[in-house]
Amino acid sequence: MANKDELVKAARNPWWQGAAAVALIALVVTFALGGFKQAKSTSKPLPQYSAGHRYQGGAMAVTPLRAWVARYKPGGQVDRFDPGKLYLVLQVEIENRTPRSFNGFGYPREDVILVSATREPIKPDTLLMSDDHSVAADLHPRLKQRVDLVWNLPKNYVHAPRQTWGVFARDYKAKAYINDEGAWLQGKPAAKFLIPVQDLRDRAVAP
């Protein structure tokens, strides 16, 4: 068994500090994922937003705009080698409310999720810029940018006329880790988006 001095030395090791921080974040996120499941009658329901209504959280403000299902990704066309492919797209306007740029595959992809029929959260497979359909890179502070979140769907998927998405809260903690570094940490589910889904499966090329 390790003595007291060995335990203190291990606790001060930066590698162990980082591992502990990652484990703590994973535990919090795992716990939070259950928040989009069907709430009990005694639970307070999450606020619900429709298309065009802005949700403002800590790190991001998100305005859902429209959603559709198609046989191609935004800006693409039907895959002639696999015409059965389906994609569900949620177009949103995102504003980075932090002082620094963050990657499009970071907070947006982690925090804006599809709520499945079994009430489980599903992260988007791809995040594209709506204007040129390029992969979303850095999202800059206080700059509103329109992006398309894309989910790869199973073949013969039957989409709901109105689909539910969820968004997690993310707030700044001045001392987020053992070494006192600050960070924007994902918190509990904060809101739901209920958006009509347009069916574009009869089109071969993106509009």
Side-chain angles (χ1 to χ4, degrees):
M1 181 179 291
N3 59 36
K4 181 178 179 181
D5 290 339
E6 290 175 334
L7 291 175
V8 171
K9 184 177 180 181
R12 291 175 177 172
N13 186 303
W15 190 92
W16 282 109
Q17 290 179 350
V22 170
L24 178 61
I25 293 172
L27 180 63
V28 171
V29 171
T30 300
F31 176 78
L33 288 178
F36 287 109
K37 293 182 179 179
Q38 191 67 38
K40 297 179 181 179
S41 58
T42 57
S43 301
K44 184 178 180 180
L46 294 174
Q48 186 168 285
Y49 293 76
S50 56
H53 290 80
R54 172 184 167 102
Y55 158 78
Q56 185 165 303
M60 297 190 305
V62 183
T63 305
L65 300 175
R66 64 190 185 111
W68 66 91
V69 62
R71 299 190 185 278
Y72 44 76
K73 292 181 180 180
Q77 58 186 15
V78 173
D79 186 341
R80 61 190 180 94
F81 297 106
D82 190 0
K85 279 187 177 181
L86 285 175
Y87 302 94
L88 178 64
V89 182
L90 175 66
Q91 187 174 91
V92 301
E93 182 182 80
I94 291 182
E95 180 185 351
N96 174 0
R97 302 181 69 244
T98 76
R100 298 181 179 180
S101 299
F102 55 67
N103 189 277
F105 266 70
Y107 300 164
R109 188 168 176 269
E110 296 290 335
D111 294 353
V112 182
I113 54 90
L114 172 67
V115 180
S116 72
T118 57
R119 316 305 293 177
E120 296 295 337
I122 305 172
K123 294 190 296 185
D125 296 287
T126 312
L127 192 71
L128 304 175
M129 302 302 295
S130 297
D131 53 1
D132 62 4
H133 311 298
S134 61
V135 175
D138 289 341
L139 302 179
H140 304 295
R142 306 299 172 179
L143 179 63
K144 296 178 181 179
Q145 294 176 272
R146 186 168 294 192
V147 301
D148 296 333
L149 297 104
V150 184
W151 285 262
N152 300 335
L153 297 176
K155 292 183 179 180
N156 302 318
Y157 172 82
V158 179
H159 75 281
R162 293 169 68 86
Q163 181 64 55
T164 301
W165 281 269
V167 59
F168 284 97
R170 189 176 290 268
D171 297 311
Y172 185 77
K173 302 296 182 184
K175 295 184 178 181
Y177 304 118
I178 298 175
N179 61 4
D180 290 343
E181 287 188 2
W184 289 87
L185 299 183
Q186 188 184 72
K188 296 180 180 180
K192 291 181 179 180
F193 302 147
L194 185 60
I195 311 297
V197 178
Q198 184 180 8
D199 191 346
L200 302 182
R201 289 177 294 179
D202 60 338
R203 302 190 187 185
V205 180

